[in-house]
């Protein structure tokens, strides 16, 4: 079923808003856009939204290239591969309601854990685990940002933006390949993803005007709020 002009405009508006958020704090496009895109048309999730996430990731990675840390990305991306495989398996075996309930609960538990004085360190194990969870959530529900964002929340603003951006580019590509191999990504969905790119570009440009003015602690606060919204939304959709 093809999207109407009104649906396309609405989808571009939602993705544009998500791109502003992600371009400003390093993640958040899927958290903001996924629930609304699903209401506009389920075909917009996860494929087209993952494609849009990959696009804004590439733009952000280019802007903050000097802050990219390969030591952070390596273990996380290593975990993203099996995580994406599990995400595909989940899509074929588990109902959307059960999936949303489990993922939403996991995100909220992570948010609660981050509020304690103890700070989760970026070790090979935690990076791999965050990448694994991100792969599962990103491939199954297009919301893969919270695990990595929570782990990196205490880094500097530009380091958060840079490393999350590269992680999203590579991770999104892996997810799209996995979806395609398993016949869960149609030609129409790819076309929808391309159509949303102007909104991504516009949102990224608008974010560039305010990103440097957002302090590290403010980024952390916004991250926790968005992750909480993501978890609550996922749980409510399963009820």
């Amino acid at each position: 079923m093809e999207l109407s002009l009104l649906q396309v405009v609405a989808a571009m508006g939602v993705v544009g808003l998500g791109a502003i958020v992600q371009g400003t704090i390093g993640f958040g496009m899927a958290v903001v856009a996924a629930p609304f895109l699903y209401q506009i048309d389920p075909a917009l999730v996860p494929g087209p939204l993952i494609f849009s996430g990959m696009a804004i990731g590439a733009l952000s990675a280019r802007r903050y290239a000097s802050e990219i840390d390969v030591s952070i990305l390596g273990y996380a991306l290593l975990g993203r591969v099996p995580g994406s495989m599990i995400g595909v398996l989940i899509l074929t075996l588990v109902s959307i309601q059960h999936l949303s309930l489990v993922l939403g609960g996991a995100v909220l538990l992570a948010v609660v854990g981050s509020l304690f004085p103890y700070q989760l360190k970026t070790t090979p194990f935690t990076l791999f685990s965050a990448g694994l969870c991100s792969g599962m959530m990103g491939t199954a529900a297009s919301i893969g940002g919270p695990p990595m964002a929570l782990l990196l929340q205490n880094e500097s603003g530009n380091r958060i933006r840079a490393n999350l951006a590269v992680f999203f580019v590579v991770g999104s590509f892996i997810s799209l390949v996995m979806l395609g191999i398993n016949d869960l990504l149609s030609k129409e969905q790819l076309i929808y993803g391309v159509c949303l790119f102007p909104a991504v570009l516009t949102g990224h440009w608008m974010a560039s005007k305010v990103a440097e003015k957002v302090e590290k602690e403010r980024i952390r606060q916004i991250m926790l709020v968005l992750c909480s919204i993501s978890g609550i939304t996922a749980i409510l959709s399963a009820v």
Side-chain angles (χ1 to χ4, degrees):
M1 180 178 179
E2 293 185 0
L3 297 179
S4 67
L5 179 59
L6 180 60
Q7 286 176 309
V8 172
V9 172
M12 291 182 71
V14 169
V15 168
L17 178 60
I20 294 174
V21 173
Q22 182 153 329
T24 301
I25 70 170
F27 97 111
M29 172 182 278
V31 175
V32 171
F36 297 102
L37 290 181
Y38 189 83
Q39 294 300 317
I40 294 171
D41 193 307
L44 293 169
V45 181
L49 184 53
I50 293 175
F51 185 86
S52 296
M54 184 169 66
I56 193 169
L59 293 170
S60 297
R62 181 173 179 271
R63 172 169 293 156
Y64 302 107
S66 62
E67 296 289 341
I68 295 172
D69 188 340
V70 178
S71 66
I72 288 178
L73 295 169
Y75 290 104
L77 290 172
L78 191 62
R80 177 86 188 206
V81 176
S84 297
M85 293 179 180
I86 296 172
V88 168
L89 184 63
I90 290 173
L91 280 174
T92 60
L93 297 179
V94 181
S95 69
I96 295 298
Q97 288 75 17
H98 289 148
L99 173 63
S100 295
L101 189 61
V102 173
L103 294 183
V107 171
L108 289 182
L109 283 175
V111 171
V112 171
S114 71
L115 297 177
F116 288 97
Y118 175 78
Q119 294 183 0
L120 194 62
K121 296 180 180 180
T122 53
T123 66
F125 176 76
T126 57
L127 287 166
F128 180 89
S129 299
L132 181 74
C133 294
S134 181
M136 292 169 55
M137 296 172 62
T139 304
S142 77
I143 302 178
M148 284 296 295
L150 290 170
L151 182 59
L152 299 179
Q153 63 181 295
N154 294 302
E155 300 286 343
S156 68
N158 284 346
R159 276 176 63 82
I160 292 174
R161 298 184 188 102
N163 291 289
L164 284 181
V166 177
F167 179 79
F168 287 139
V169 172
V170 181
S172 296
F173 178 76
I174 293 171
S175 293
L176 288 174
V177 170
M178 294 295 178
L179 290 172
I181 290 175
N182 291 276
D183 296 323
L184 295 171
L185 182 66
S186 66
K187 179 181 177 181
E188 287 74 18
Q189 287 179 309
L190 282 177
I191 293 174
Y192 295 157
V194 172
C195 290
L196 293 174
F197 182 72
V200 173
L201 195 62
T202 302
H204 179 73
W205 175 80
M206 294 178 69
S208 69
K209 303 301 180 182
V210 298
E212 298 301 328
K213 300 177 183 179
V214 182
E215 299 177 354
K216 172 186 171 181
E217 183 57 28
R218 181 64 63 186
I219 291 176
R220 180 177 180 274
Q221 293 170 354
I222 296 174
M223 279 183 169
L224 293 178
V225 170
L226 286 178
C227 288
S228 298
I229 292 173
S230 171
I232 293 171
T233 300
I235 291 174
L236 290 177
S237 68
V239 175

